[in-house]
Amino acid sequence: MRKPVIAGNWKMYKSLSEGLETALALKPLVANANHCEVVVAPVFTAIKTIADRLEGSNVHVSGQDCSTEIEEGAHTGEVAAFMLRDVGCKYVIVGHSERRQLYAETDSMVNRKTHAGISGGLTVIMCVGESLAQRDQGIAENVVSGQLQGGLRGLTAPDLDRIIVAYEPVWAIGTGRTATPEQAQEMHAFIRRVFAEGHSTEAAEKLRILYGGSVKPENIAGLMKQPDIDGALVGGASLRAESFAKIVNYK
Ligand code: PGA
């Protein structure tokens, strides 16, 4: 059985006090959510305070990104995965489409970040997803399998237990346009097949694949009914504790 993961990606929103307020409001609202892992990803500067205040609760903290570098060193502006772990993170998101599009992240950088995340003791939520133009050209599967294989290159069998894949079609992120549960299911099943071919059927059966892109309280239940959808990566609707709690408590 794959335990679902519902993760809120706060992106570059919320000051420290606003983030803390949301986190503390969320905590009691999801206290009985034992059916899934609950994760929030605040900005770097808020992680330590929020992680400290959530300690002992069932809400875990994620970084939104980490350095490609494993070791500390002269890399101005970067934050290493082990430093995220040091301040209370359990997870890190890598390869989000905004990083790929706005900061020119390549599959090889995503791959290095994935390795860095694992060696820093984190579970890595690696994002993949095609653009609208790529979907319209009929190459969505090629794009996603390329990102998947490129991003996961060189991982060993034990590493795979620390990997979560998030399928986020770029055309559904922040647009209000969600993939239908069937569209998402089709790609999730494809991702599981590609993962099985690249690694093993056993590892693929254990892999959690999250859907992301305009997930809301109104559409989460339909998505979660699909056999290969194992949770969600939520942007906009995770910014308010009440709406994110409704998503977490979809059951
Ligand atoms: P959205 O963002 O839920 O606002 O579409 C999802 C994401 O970017 O992870």
Side-chain angles (χ1 to χ4, degrees):
M1 264 297 280
R2 300 185 289 265
K3 189 165 191 185
V5 178
I6 307 284
N9 173 13
W10 291 354
K11 308 191 179 185
M12 200 177 75
Y13 290 100
K14 297 183 183 293
S15 65
L16 173 58
S17 61
E18 289 164 346
L20 188 58
E21 195 182 322
T22 307
L24 294 179
L26 181 67
K27 192 158 82 159
L29 298 177
V30 299
N32 297 322
N34 300 317
H35 59 281
C36 66
E37 289 169 26
V38 186
V39 181
V40 292
V43 293
F44 286 138
T45 50
I47 286 174
K48 163 86 173 124
T49 308
I50 290 178
D52 282 351
R53 297 290 296 274
L54 290 176
E55 212 184 325
S57 80
N58 60 341
V59 184
H60 303 293
V61 178
S62 174
Q64 296 178 13
D65 187 27
C66 68
S67 177
T68 54
E69 300 299 321
I70 293 176
E71 308 287 345
E72 64 182 354
H75 298 284
T76 304
E78 293 290 285
V79 177
F82 81 86
M83 295 168 176
L84 294 175
R85 166 107 188 165
D86 186 43
V87 291
C89 285
K90 285 199 157 175
Y91 302 79
V92 64
I93 299 168
V94 302
H96 190 278
S97 66
E98 286 153 17
R99 304 253 10 128
R100 293 177 188 264
Q101 285 185 325
L102 305 174
Y103 300 96
E105 279 193 11
T106 60
D107 288 334
S108 113
M109 288 163 75
V110 174
N111 181 241
R112 290 178 64 199
K113 291 182 177 198
T114 301
H115 281 274
I118 291 170
S119 68
L122 300 171
T123 292
V124 175
I125 303 174
M126 193 191 82
C127 305
V128 297
E130 81 287 358
S131 67
L132 186 56
Q134 290 165 332
R135 177 159 279 257
D136 289 345
Q137 284 166 48
I139 57 168
E141 289 193 346
N142 292 353
V143 169
V144 168
S145 65
Q147 290 173 339
L148 202 62
Q149 286 158 348
L152 299 179
R153 189 157 291 138
L155 296 182
T156 62
D159 292 342
L160 300 178
D161 291 338
R162 306 283 285 282
I163 294 291
I164 294 171
V165 171
Y167 169 59
E168 300 206 301
V170 176
W171 46 273
I173 296 179
T175 57
R177 190 177 153 188
T178 332
T180 63
E182 293 72 25
Q183 275 174 325
Q185 164 58 27
E186 206 179 316
M187 189 60 92
H188 282 224
F190 173 74
I191 289 171
R192 206 177 297 287
R193 281 202 300 282
V194 172
F195 196 86
E197 281 160 21
H199 304 283
S200 67
T201 314
E202 194 201 3
E205 273 309 306
K206 286 199 289 183
L207 177 71
R208 271 106 40 106
I209 308 174
L210 316 185
Y211 169 77
S214 299
V215 173
K216 302 184 261 296
E218 300 76 44
N219 58 26
I220 183 69
L223 289 161
M224 291 305 293
K225 281 202 190 96
Q226 301 297 320
D228 287 291
I229 299 185
D230 309 310
L233 183 55
V234 186
S238 72
L239 293 172
R240 283 184 47 249
E242 298 72 23
S243 69
F244 188 52
K246 279 189 192 148
I247 294 172
V248 168
N249 298 318
Y250 64 88
K251 280 198 155 204

